[in-house]
Amino acid sequence: MKLLGGAVAAVDHGGSLGRASALFPHAPRPFVDLSTGINPHSYPLFELPATALSRLPEAGQLRELAEIAAAAYGAPSAAHVAAAPGTQILLPRVASLLRPGKALVLGPTYAEHARAAAIAGHAVAEVGDFDALAEADLAVLVNPNNPDGRLIEKARLLELAARLRAKGGLLVVDEAFMDVGPIEHSLAGNVDEGGIIVLRSFGKFFGLAGVRLGFALADPLTAERLDAQLGPWAVAGPALEYGIRALSDMKWQTDMRQRLAQDAGRLDTLLGRFNVAVAGGTSLFRYLSFPEAPSLFSALGSSGVLVRHFAERPQVLRIGLPGSEAEWQRLEGALVSWAAQREDAPKEIER
Amino acid sequence: MKLLGGAVAAVDHGGSLGRASALFPHAPRPFVDLSTGINPHSYPLFELPATALSRLPEAGQLRELAEIAAAAYGAPSAAHVAAAPGTQILLPRVASLLRPGKALVLGPTYAEHARAAAIAGHAVAEVGDFDALAEADLAVLVNPNNPDGRLIEKARLLELAARLRAKGGLLVVDEAFMDVGPIEHSLAGNVDEGGIIVLRSFGKFFGLAGVRLGFALADPLTAERLDAQLGPWAVAGPALEYGIRALSDMKWQTDMRQRLAQDAGRLDTLLGRFNVAVAGGTSLFRYLSFPEAPSLFSALGSSGVLVRHFAERPQVLRIGLPGSEAEWQRLEGALVSWAAQREDAPKEIER
């Protein structure tokens, strides 16, 4: 168990081209940004009605979004849905639903969960073993996990939720990448039992991270408490428009799941050609864990291909999906350069 | 002093066409919505770059926005600015900066302040007398006030802030309508003294309420605490784009202040023709307080012109500015109808 006392400080993330430029100032531009798990094939953009920008968001539209989200995610009803300007802003609010106690985060995972629990006043620790979560007041896990894709089965989650609920605790399951499954392990349909909060992210699967839209699924009383914290008009006009259209577009969602699975397979094949084994992930990102990770990160970055590294675990990388043939070729070219360096390296030492 | 124990419940607001339709189902459409203080002449819309929707908001862009906002509002520096997806979502976070104590709101005013303070655990009361605010731990006022335009002078505010600061208290000044002045009474330049938070709203003056953008101006440590609560990416891509462009467009802002002042004068003249005296307001809305307010509200609504009424103060109305000649004519026509009803009314009684 690792204590995370300093977790209130800002944490590092992927997805910043500013940071990429600072790290690799001489890399060819534009960067191919594979540092996130955001779908590069975004939901088709459309022209927003001017009123989506000029007028206050309508309460009726928010209710419509909640209904559509409940259906898309498999929550019991719209009353079980709290919509927010991104999942991120929900994290401290969710952690604050319980008075300060013991928060355990199943790690390694998305670092903002520990930070949010610390902000809410909890004593936070990261645990590597799922069963240890039962000791928590607030237990948090990402399912499937970011960055390694680790999956906890639904039956085990429900058992944990029951144990936590019995002592007034709370289980938070961040299903940020559950859009690409395995959906049978989602707890979205179980939130009415109480003591369970499921977080769903709109921006990742729909490739629209800039609109800021996320959801907490919970029992109606808890959803209402979260709504009260966010206040009226928390979800912006553009997020309402895109959320309503994209979440109700089942054909796009089905097709996209297939396409992402194919792309993920293609990425594994490409990496395999360079003897890089994929150790896990989801259809939205792949997870690498091998000793040469630091050299791969640097070589790709120098070629203008940005992947996600983790300061405290240098042997680990997360790679998102290229979004176009040009990006696939940039990645392949960068891998070729890295492989050439790798072959040269022993010779240098021999000399 | 009026205790506001039940203030956690949702409160009524202007700006909902859904609510207007329910109130006036037979009114001619479209509604002319004068129920808010939002500028009907919105900042010119432009095409957003696709990345504003698809990519995570960039930290560098957020810093740029904070710098521009500091300059536009007169805050000491970007470090004194916390940007949020609307001022609304900041209110419970600002109220939570102090441990639960006594919150006093200078009323009558925007009802969300009392609700936010109650959510944060404070014992909340509304006071009508500015001097009574000195008894608070958390004192909140809107300056100039919504809906009546009441102004508290800067010297008195600074004196109150000093008294509160001396006992570890906090003064929150919501300057949601300060864009139209009187700017010499803004506390934006004084937040470094500590114990002062100034709230500024982007959507009202720029007529872009749907993008959700608001600011807290505070000493750097407090601004950082608010930033931590909101987490990374709290401001959406479209809000960053519009915020950066509009807040740095000084010519538009100067011209718009003039235009709004002219429009407000035109509205007063029009109302005066029907013997309706304007009792206060700002250039973004006018405030009426007279016995016939309920009949005016109903008559305008039946004609499809929506103004803001207040359930607990039926003699009070707030009227926003029409946005086009067609809207001015709809308002004038509605006033003519109301005046005709008013003349008929005594005859009905005489009969």
Side-chain angles (χ1 to χ4, degrees), chain B residues 1-5 102-108 123-138:
Chain B
M1 196 186 289
K2 191 176 144 198
L3 285 170
L4 297 169
K102 183 177 181 177
L104 298 178
V105 180
L106 185 61
V124 190
E126 185 179 296
V127 295
D129 175 21
F130 174 77
D131 292 326
L133 292 177
E135 302 301 315
D137 300 304
L138 173 69

Side-chain angles (χ1 to χ4, degrees), chain B residues 32-51:
Chain B
V32 176
D33 184 10
L34 310 181
S35 71
T36 76
I38 298 165
N39 184 354
H41 313 297
S42 71
Y43 190 81
L45 301 187
F46 54 87
E47 201 176 338
L48 291 167
T51 50

Side-chain angles (χ1 to χ4, degrees), chain B residues 36-124:
Chain B
T36 76
I38 298 165
N39 184 354
H41 313 297
S42 71
Y43 190 81
L45 301 187
F46 54 87
E47 201 176 338
L48 291 167
T51 50
L53 299 174
S54 62
R55 288 187 57 85
L56 279 170
E58 279 282 340
Q61 227 182 353
L62 185 65
R63 281 192 297 272
E64 187 184 356
L65 175 65
E67 275 165 28
I68 289 168
Y73 294 137
S77 82
H80 296 76
V81 176
T87 313
Q88 182 62 45
I89 208 165
L90 278 169
L91 302 187
R93 303 285 63 79
V94 166
S96 298
L97 289 169
L98 287 188
R99 63 189 65 222
K102 183 177 181 177
L104 298 178
V105 180
L106 185 61
T109 191
Y110 184 59
E112 292 286 342
H113 286 294
R115 194 178 72 88
I119 283 178
H122 298 287
V124 190

Side-chain angles (χ1 to χ4, degrees), chain A residues 108-130:
Chain A
T109 191
Y110 183 60
E112 292 286 343
H113 286 294
R115 194 178 71 88
I119 283 177
H122 298 287
V124 189
E126 185 179 296
V127 295
D129 174 21
F130 174 77

Side-chain angles (χ1 to χ4, degrees), chain A residues 17 33 53 58 210 212 233 237, chain B residues 17 53 58 210 212 233 237:
Chain A
L17 292 182
D33 184 9
L53 299 175
E58 280 282 341
R212 309 312 297 143
W233 321 299
Chain B
L17 292 181
L53 299 174
E58 279 282 340
R212 309 312 296 142
W233 318 301

